[in-house]
Amino acid sequence: MSGFVGILVSDPWLQNQFTQVELRSLKSHFMSMKRESGKLTVSDLASRMGKSKVVGDQNLSNEERATLIQNFHPNLNDEVDFEFYLRIYLNLQAHVNAIIGSGVKNSSAFLKAATTTLLHTISDSEKSSYVAHINNYLSGDEFLNKYLPINPSSNDLFEVAKDGVLLCKLINVAVPGTIDERAINTKSMLNPWERNENHTLCLNSAKAIGCTVVNIGTQDIIEGRRHLVLGVISQIIKIQLLADLNLKKTPQLVELVGDSKDVEELMSLPPEKILLRWMNFQLRKTEYKKTVTNFSSDVKDAEAYTNLLNVLAPEHKNASHLAVKSSFERAKLVLEHADRMGCRRYLTAKDIVEGSPNLNLAFVAHIFQHRNGLSTQTKQISFLENLADDIQISREEKAFRFWINSFDGSLYINNVFEDLRDGWILLQTLDKVSPGIVNWKVASKPPIKLPFKKVENCNQVVKLGKQLKFSLVNIAGNDIVQGNKKLILAYLWQLMRYNILQLLKNLRLHSNGKEITDVDILEWANAKVRNNGCKTHMYSFRDKSLSDGIFFLELLSSVQTRSVNWSLVTNGVTDEEKKMNATYVISIARKLGCSIFLLPEDIIEVNQKMMLTLTASIMYWTLKQPLHLNKPIGSPDSHNGSLLDDSTSDSSIE
């Protein structure tokens, strides 16, 4: 449950909720609850929080507290770490505040303070590990070589990160090709505007690869706020280290399961859970009898590591290691074993025995990357043959997943097709997009044991979609419960489209409050390009001429003259030239401030859904600029129809 972010508190969003004094107080409560049995599970929390009088004891019964906690995290057997405990605390406090009202002066809520007023500590051990990672993976970079290697014992990392270049380069190491490096400002002396562009590009790109960057702004990086910068870096590194933990990258993972049903379950798990399952799979080959459920308390004694490395690298095995009584000494031997395997450490023996979840996760992930011990001959399971059968579905699933996760810290999914099937997160997303639309009185919170309750939730999802005028012919709630991929993607596309159209409509200065249509967006884009003296034209969001990326580069240039370096633009004739232009389009849009979740392939293949969201995002950014002059959209000669309504969408249901 612990993320690979930050230090005492691993999520930057969480770090912004508390002062150091508050964290120490809550840490004390947390440790006192753990002392009862040495272990704290989700099922223990309600009663122990009540005894400790941590939150809302005068307003919540133990039964209410237990229900709220179970709704937040249904797996009652999971062990609770400090970060998870803080999330529970904030959720309970929010519920209490809703009961007693926000005007109560003596509420026990920790008020969110400005970041500059908070005292944050960072772990030197984590900082050193991340610096070592950066020094290793970016050592050959032409621009950064004057700064590398960074001294891990200093604060040079935060100084180097201030211009945004290092973070952008690190994102490309984690997910190659995410940022077109031609879009990064790399002059030796950047002005404030250019630095801000780099940070905007970095944060929007980090969001697009799955990082949580809520409550992190460009100013935080410019000012070198260490806990926030380290939080972004650690998330990026985590994504890199866990990149192979899926069946497409490592089909040998099919060894961990028995049949196609188990494979589907495995595909829905987050990478951290797959890593734990892999570790336990290897440990079952030894005499080690315990199950590792986390990267903290369960690995502190280093026994699991000793057995794991003995299985993976038996040529370096030493039977005497298991006989060592001191956990610290055993941890040192584990690291020596890893060194002989050629694995980079990421942590010290002290980090192991102290149970640092971030660094232990990094250590195990790197072991997996280096030597996973799985058969090179994968089982012939028919389900595997279909994994790559629909690349488009995979791309759209990722885009919609990251879009949902970008709202705030309260919504997070690992797999669209699995995590939306009970309807709850879909209802939450609907409420974000159209506040007040959901009837929560008839909605059921997870965990939902009765199947018909899931259907009821999803029936409301479909009903609300029709209320928002989505095209949902012959779609029922049970289709979502059954995980029908085509239907779920069709619904999410229309929900995303509705969201961006509402954002545009709410800019009443430009829209005069009228409904915005796809035609309005199309005509706005063509007018911008035409008024800038360009001759390219977009006839629809399915216009195949868009595949070369030229139109979007001209659109970006028309809304921000200096944004495009035309000497870097290709003719867009060959596939390689088209990809270069498409990557450049996406990076320039993110550099301006557009939050978009498409890939270069979406432009090259002219995915009409993504063409609309890209154009609408550029339009939204442009109309938000305070000094930008625009005529109101929807002039009398505008069309009333739409060049892309839901009935013509690729994923719409007839």
Side-chain angles (χ1 to χ4, degrees), residues 133-198:
H133 182 97
I134 290 168
N135 286 340
N136 178 63
Y137 282 95
L138 292 174
S139 59
D141 186 86
E142 187 176 339
F143 178 82
L144 293 173
N145 62 11
K146 57 189 172 186
Y147 304 111
L148 301 179
I150 297 170
N151 182 355
S153 63
S154 71
N155 286 322
D156 292 351
L157 170 64
F158 309 108
E159 290 300 316
V160 176
K162 281 185 177 180
D163 65 8
V165 177
L166 182 143
L167 295 177
C168 288
K169 300 270 190 177
L170 192 60
I171 286 172
N172 270 356
V173 169
V175 185
T178 299
I179 296 176
D180 189 326
E181 296 198 1
R182 297 173 297 172
I184 305 173
N185 298 320
T186 55
K187 293 192 307 185
S188 57
M189 291 294 291
L190 299 179
N191 61 41
W193 178 270
E194 291 166 331
R195 259 201 324 269
N196 188 72
E197 284 184 329
N198 280 352

Side-chain angles (χ1 to χ4, degrees), residues 366-565:
H366 188 70
I367 292 172
F368 177 87
Q369 282 189 342
H370 187 74
R371 189 181 298 192
N372 61 40
L374 299 173
S375 171
T376 54
Q377 301 296 320
T378 58
K379 293 180 183 178
Q380 295 302 311
I381 295 181
S382 59
F383 189 85
L384 270 181
E385 299 171 3
N386 299 323
L387 286 179
D389 65 347
D390 198 334
I391 297 172
Q392 184 63 38
I393 283 181
S394 177
R395 288 212 306 261
E396 291 191 9
E397 186 276 334
K398 183 182 292 184
F400 294 137
R401 170 161 39 99
F402 291 163
W403 171 67
I404 290 174
N405 291 344
S406 72
F407 276 103
D408 58 39
S410 65
L411 292 179
Y412 191 85
I413 58 174
N414 290 301
N415 183 287
V416 160
F417 306 123
E418 293 299 321
D419 295 350
L420 302 185
R421 288 169 64 169
D422 62 11
W424 181 254
I425 289 181
L426 274 173
L427 289 172
Q428 288 182 301
T429 308
L430 279 159
D431 199 52
K432 297 284 184 186
V433 170
S434 182
I437 194 172
V438 177
N439 182 355
W440 294 110
K441 293 181 180 179
V442 298
S444 299
K445 297 179 182 179
I448 304 173
K449 296 180 180 179
L450 299 175
F452 77 89
K453 290 292 184 180
K454 298 179 182 180
V455 175
E456 285 180 351
N457 277 357
C458 292
N459 281 341
Q460 185 178 182
V461 167
V462 173
K463 177 183 176 182
L464 295 178
K466 291 178 179 178
Q467 186 176 319
L468 297 176
K469 300 181 180 178
F470 295 175
S471 176
L472 299 172
V473 180
N474 296 328
I475 296 181
N478 194 51
D479 294 315
I480 299 174
V481 175
Q482 296 301 317
N484 186 306
K485 293 182 179 180
K486 185 178 181 182
L487 299 183
I488 291 173
L489 290 180
Y491 191 98
L492 287 175
W493 153 238
Q494 294 179 83
L495 186 57
M496 178 190 274
R497 174 178 174 271
Y498 176 84
N499 180 223
I500 190 65
L501 294 180
Q502 286 301 108
L503 290 174
L504 288 168
K505 177 186 174 183
N506 290 339
L507 294 172
R508 296 184 182 277
L509 173 64
H510 305 284
S511 69
N512 294 328
K514 76 177 284 291
E515 295 294 331
I516 307 300
T517 68
D518 304 334
V519 167
D520 291 324
I521 298 170
L522 186 80
E523 293 186 344
W524 172 85
N526 281 324
K528 295 300 295 182
V529 170
R530 184 173 59 250
N531 293 340
N532 200 41
C534 302
K535 295 183 179 180
T536 55
H537 187 86
M538 174 168 55
Y539 292 95
S540 76
F541 295 110
R542 291 180 291 180
D543 186 342
K544 293 302 180 183
S545 69
L546 298 175
S547 66
D548 62 13
I550 301 293
F551 178 85
F552 291 111
L553 288 168
E554 291 181 339
L555 176 60
L556 289 164
S557 181
S558 73
V559 301
Q560 177 55 262
T561 306
R562 58 180 290 277
S563 63
V564 178
N565 182 345

